[in-house]
Amino acid sequence: SSTCSSLAGSSPESDEVFSEPEEKRLPGKPRVLRKTKSWKTFFTMVHWSVRRRSSWVQLAGHEGNFKPSEGGHILKKFSAVEDACLAELMADVLRPFVPTYHGMVEVGGERYIQMDDLLRGLDTPSIMDCKMGTRTYLEDELCQAQQRQKPRQDLYQKMVKVDPLAPTAEEHGTGTVTKPRYMQWRETISSSALLGFRIEGVTIEGGAVQKDFKQTRTKEQIVDIFLAFTKGDLGVLVIGSSLLFLHDRRGQASVWMIDFGKTLPAPAHLALHHDAAWARGNHEDGYLIGLRHLIETVRASLGRAAREHEGSPAQP
């Protein structure tokens, strides 16, 4: 059991859900995101090198959230929650599985968390970002949304873009959906609600970043992605309690737990188990449910790769 509630963090969609609707912002007013940006773009850092220090930020899509640093470190925009969590993890049994934390630094008047650059030393790495847990929003966020159930056209448009049949007849009639409705629907179309994890993004050997996994839901679909990610190499994929899978051309491989911007202490009267279904008030995150299904999926990928290897014609 645990007294810590660990959520996988945000996705591009969840960042937009908790931001102001586009049409409601005043001209010239910058977009304000109401929660910590996650590592959702970390996997795009494969495009960054010493010679291209500015390009990875643009490719990541969040200028100012990450900065390169010296000595094999990377800077991430400061979050008090994530900073506190990383500091605690440095004295925890999970320390070997998280980026080493090097404290808070100030650069140009902005505060950043300094940690190890997980891509240092890798030769054209392939990267896969998996978000863990059966839900990716905090209970407080859902409660706040339900207290202010204002119909939103932008969320309706996002819903019908993914699945035109998803809105109810009433929602189609008004052309709007509420935030709580959208939040809960979004988890059901991916593998998050079913398997307790989802693939957020993949890039293979420095190629294009693939992020179109919103409706990747079944284990069979995920096995296909795993095999493409590893190219069927049985010796590449390393299993662990993680979100970020890395491997490169030289056969180096690692798995890391990342993204602690929404990892908070659970209420004092609760001891979380992380393998129970979430119900309002129990604060369970389903992390271990996702980990179990992730391990099963990787085993299925290895099994299929072995069968395909055995059935392939011998090389001359």
Side-chain angles (χ1 to χ4, degrees):
S1 64
S2 166
T3 58
C4 187
S5 177
S6 173
L7 289 183
S10 60
S11 67
E13 290 77 26
S14 62
D15 274 346
E16 292 171 8
V17 169
F18 291 104
S19 65
E20 290 294 335
E22 189 72 24
E23 65 270 15
K24 296 298 184 181
R25 289 188 288 123
L26 296 175
K29 182 180 179 181
R31 175 184 289 272
V32 177
L33 297 182
R34 293 179 177 170
K35 67 187 187 70
T36 304
K37 294 187 180 74
S38 75
W39 286 76
K40 64 181 178 291
T41 55
F42 184 86
F43 58 88
T44 63
M45 288 164 55
V46 67
H47 298 278
W48 173 76
S49 69
V50 173
R51 295 181 299 276
R52 300 170 65 193
R53 289 192 172 188
S54 63
S55 63
W56 75 266
V57 174
Q58 297 165 355
L59 288 164
H62 288 289
E63 290 83 352
N65 199 41
F66 288 99
K67 282 184 179 293
S69 186
E70 302 296 333
H73 299 158
I74 198 75
L75 303 181
K76 184 181 181 184
K77 201 163 187 179
F78 182 81
S79 155
V81 171
E82 185 161 25
D83 185 75
C85 186
L86 285 169
E88 290 285 336
L89 284 168
M90 292 303 96
D92 193 90
V93 294
L94 292 176
R95 177 171 179 169
F97 308 105
V98 301
T100 299
Y101 167 72
H102 298 283
M104 188 271 292
V105 297
E106 189 169 316
V107 178
E110 292 282 344
R111 292 189 299 169
Y112 293 89
I113 296 170
Q114 185 171 231
M115 65 191 77
D116 280 355
D117 179 358
L118 300 179
L119 303 184
R120 189 184 188 193
L122 297 183
D123 179 15
T124 317
S126 296
I127 307 171
M128 180 167 64
D129 181 0
C130 292
K131 295 298 178 189
M132 305 297 292
T134 53
R135 59 188 172 94
T136 56
Y137 51 82
L138 295 170
E139 285 197 17
D140 286 348
E141 292 171 335
L142 183 61
C143 290
Q144 291 171 10
Q146 289 177 328
Q147 291 170 6
R148 299 189 299 270
Q149 294 204 38
K150 183 177 181 180
R152 286 175 53 171
Q153 291 182 348
D154 62 319
L155 298 184
Y156 170 81
Q157 291 165 0
K158 291 180 188 298
M159 182 181 284
V160 296
K161 185 176 181 180
V162 174
D163 182 1
L165 300 179
T168 64
E170 181 180 352
E171 289 166 342
H172 275 307
T174 63
T176 61
V177 297
T178 63
K179 188 188 294 184
R181 159 85 165 116
Y182 181 85
M183 290 164 62
Q184 294 176 305
W185 165 80
R186 190 190 63 228
E187 306 291 41
T188 64
I189 63 172
S190 73
S191 58
S192 287
L194 181 67
L195 300 178
F197 76 95
R198 70 169 180 256
I199 295 177
E200 192 79 355
V202 174
T203 182
I204 299 174
E205 294 186 349
V209 176
Q210 304 168 48
K211 296 190 287 185
D212 188 19
F213 302 112
K214 293 183 181 68
Q215 293 180 280
T216 300
R217 189 170 184 270
T218 68
K219 185 177 293 185
E220 290 72 23
Q221 291 173 312
I222 297 171
V223 166
D224 289 339
I225 297 167
F226 273 35
L227 291 177
F229 174 68
T230 62
K231 296 189 174 180
D233 187 342
L234 300 183
V236 167
L237 206 56
V238 177
I239 310 307
S241 195
S242 72
L243 290 173
L244 196 70
F245 292 76
L246 304 174
H247 73 84
D248 72 358
R249 291 178 175 176
R250 293 177 296 186
Q252 297 187 76
S254 58
V255 185
W256 299 91
M257 297 178 70
I258 59 172
D259 191 1
F260 304 104
K262 299 181 76 176
T263 300
L264 299 167
H269 65 285
L270 291 177
L272 301 186
H273 299 282
H274 305 285
D275 61 355
W278 173 67
R280 182 69 61 81
N282 72 2
H283 292 269
E284 290 289 351
D285 51 33
Y287 191 97
L288 294 181
I289 294 174
L291 185 59
R292 183 177 69 251
H293 283 296
L294 182 57
I295 292 171
E296 291 172 358
T297 303
V298 171
R299 285 174 177 162
S301 301
L302 293 173
R304 188 199 292 182
R307 291 191 297 273
E308 292 176 356
H309 179 72
E310 291 171 358
S312 62
Q315 294 295 322

